[in-house]
Amino acid sequence: MQGPREQARVIRVARSPKAGASKKVKAAGTRWGEDVQEVEPSLIQRHVREALRVAQALAEDRPVDAGTALKATLMLSRDEGSKATGAFQRIRELVPLEDLPATPDPDATAMQEFLLWPPFAKHFEHALGLARDREKRRSVWGRDWIASILLTRDDPSLSELLSQPLADLRDAWFRWVASKDSPTSMDRYEQWWRDAGVPLPGDRGVRAG
């Protein structure tokens, strides 16, 4: 679901005087001209930045929705094979799409501004907030990026891409994150799920979609 640009949010990855800083600035001279959130590159791990670039290349001048972000992640996981990060390998195991097209090759120097559809942007911005709050390893990891995709609601692009129920995939992702050493406490992850209106595994009275 890629909506009009005027309703989207812009993330600009750019170096600032304060390492790790993130602030709202007026996006004069950007491709879209909206207010943007400016983010230090170190706050987003390299493979997540690459997924953002591929997702924007797929979306072209439209906002990146959750389905496009997931598709870009699966493409990179496929291309990198055993060299992919654990999170990217795991999501490909859970979503084994075989008919993905060739991965676009965006210009890394040009693709530093990303137009995100608000339901997805909300959770990616939450992931940025978690990264800023950590005492160490202060960056958005692949597990955070994928959580922000899967927790997106009011965005049918995910369900259109998946062959399994989204609720089951969310459960599987939460369990996988809980089984790993994580830079973010599981209390924070549990709260993220609750704030998104998504039941925790084993605590699902009504499935959120």
Side-chain angles (χ1 to χ4, degrees), residues 2 53-60 62 68-69 71-72 75 101-104:
Q2 294 162 325
R53 285 194 285 266
V54 171
Q56 191 65 72
L58 289 169
E60 298 178 335
R62 298 183 302 277
T68 303
K71 187 180 294 184
M75 287 176 169
T103 306

Side-chain angles (χ1 to χ4, degrees), residues 72-199:
T73 305
L74 295 172
M75 287 176 169
L76 289 175
S77 178
R78 174 199 61 194
D79 296 347
E80 295 175 0
S82 62
K83 295 182 180 180
T85 66
F88 278 31
Q89 289 187 41
R90 181 56 178 157
I91 194 61
R92 180 146 176 80
E93 292 169 358
L94 293 171
V95 188
L97 296 182
E98 300 298 336
D99 58 349
L100 291 169
T103 306
D105 186 18
D107 181 349
T109 61
M111 299 291 288
Q112 299 298 337
E113 295 169 7
F114 308 103
L115 191 67
L116 307 184
W117 185 236
F120 171 51
K122 171 184 174 182
H123 290 289
F124 183 62
E125 289 170 354
H126 187 94
L128 289 169
L130 290 180
R132 286 192 296 271
D133 290 345
R134 294 171 187 151
E135 293 184 2
K136 57 183 179 179
R137 297 188 287 184
R138 297 179 70 245
S139 59
V140 174
W141 286 33
R143 66 193 63 187
D144 309 320
W145 162 254
I146 294 166
S148 68
I149 293 170
L150 298 182
L151 290 176
T152 299
R153 303 180 64 179
D154 302 319
D155 184 345
S157 67
L158 269 179
S159 298
E160 292 169 0
L161 186 64
L162 300 173
S163 60
Q164 68 267 62
L166 178 55
D168 292 348
L169 184 55
R170 287 166 170 161
D171 283 358
W173 194 252
F174 185 91
R175 291 190 180 102
W176 183 81
V177 172
S179 73
K180 302 295 180 183
D181 177 32
S182 177
T184 297
S185 72
M186 287 312 299
D187 287 345
R188 297 293 298 274
Y189 258 87
E190 289 178 6
Q191 190 60 52
W192 191 2
W193 252 245
R194 292 191 178 100
D195 290 346
V198 174

Side-chain angles (χ1 to χ4, degrees), residues 32-52:
W32 295 292
E34 289 91 347
D35 288 346
V36 306
Q37 181 174 184
E38 190 165 287
V39 178
E40 178 75 16
S42 63
L43 200 61
I44 306 175
Q45 289 200 342
R46 180 201 59 79
H47 56 288
V48 176
R49 294 200 306 271
E50 185 63 17
L52 270 168

